[in-house]
Amino acid sequence: MTATTPHPAQNAPREDDGYFGPGSVSWKVYADPSSRVAGMAGLLLQALNPGMMRLFEHASAAYVDPKGRDERTGRYLDTVMFGDKAHADAAAASVRRMHAHAVWDDPHTGTTLRAEEPAWIDWTHNALAFALLRGAEAFGLDLTPANRTSSSSNSTSPQSLSARTRPACPPPAPTSRRTSTSSATGCRCRSPPPR
């Protein structure tokens, strides 16, 4: 048996409270057990984007190891939410590298589908943010009206930080319940134009 050297970022001591911190609404929402149920709802909402699902089917190995994929996604979200800034940044860089390789040419339409599509990244983050907040509300997490409508970076969801995984610079992700709801319910789920 050979020993492997773990990735240095995984073993680095915690340097700070991350992008949100223990007093943030984000930590409160994500630490609540309702976030696990809401996270599943967010995944189902994300699946309503047919272009994303076509790309996922053809450019991802997730079907080979769905449990592993779920675990890695959960680890990423936990790291971004609760990790220090160095760990969150390393996790985001890893996602960007994986997204850069997720490309598929649709033989029927001639369209090249890319995981780096900014509208799809927005959809992914907004669907999760929407589901987390709605789950917290549905299962009785005590959020004040100010918590629900906060527009600071410590808002009710991680989407403002998660924008770090974007490979391009689209308009900022919504940081409040109102703009998250509007983004999640207003998406047209279209595939990008051919490139």
Side-chain angles (χ1 to χ4, degrees):
M1 182 163 113
T2 60
T4 59
T5 304
H7 189 281
Q10 293 174 340
N11 293 324
R14 186 176 185 87
E15 296 181 13
D16 52 52
D17 284 331
Y19 287 99
F20 299 102
S24 69
V25 176
S26 295
W27 271 33
K28 182 177 183 177
V29 168
Y30 204 76
D32 190 77
S34 68
S35 71
R36 300 308 180 216
V37 174
M40 294 304 297
L43 287 173
L44 292 172
L45 185 57
Q46 291 168 12
L48 293 176
N49 185 312
M52 283 177 58
M53 290 301 97
R54 280 198 333 269
L55 177 63
F56 188 78
E57 177 184 1
H58 295 285
S60 171
Y63 293 115
V64 176
D65 181 21
K67 183 178 178 184
R69 168 63 189 248
D70 289 347
E71 288 174 8
R72 288 186 299 276
T73 299
R75 223 174 314 141
Y76 163 76
L77 292 170
D78 286 344
T79 301
V80 167
M81 183 54 58
F82 299 115
D84 62 17
K85 291 176 183 176
H87 287 88
D89 289 345
S94 176
V95 169
R96 282 193 305 272
R97 284 190 301 275
M98 285 185 277
H99 281 175
H101 296 287
V103 178
W104 177 66
D105 293 319
D106 186 331
H108 300 292
T109 66
T111 303
T112 298
L113 303 177
R114 292 176 168 78
E116 294 178 323
E117 176 61 39
W120 290 358
I121 294 170
D122 282 345
W123 172 252
T124 299
H125 293 293
N126 294 336
L128 178 61
F130 175 78
L132 286 172
L133 183 58
R134 294 302 298 262
E137 292 172 339
F139 292 104
L141 184 61
D142 186 25
L143 296 176
T144 67
N147 293 154
R148 291 184 185 118
T149 59
S150 172
S151 61
S152 70
S153 62
N154 282 333
S155 83
T156 56
S157 62
Q159 77 271 30
S160 56
L161 167 64
S162 296
R164 290 178 164 275
T165 63
R166 289 186 172 86
C169 296
T175 55
S176 71
R177 177 178 192 247
R178 181 175 40 83
T179 57
S180 180
T181 300
S182 159
S183 296
T185 57
C187 179
R188 295 286 182 248
C189 298
R190 290 181 292 232
S191 295
R195 294 184 187 197

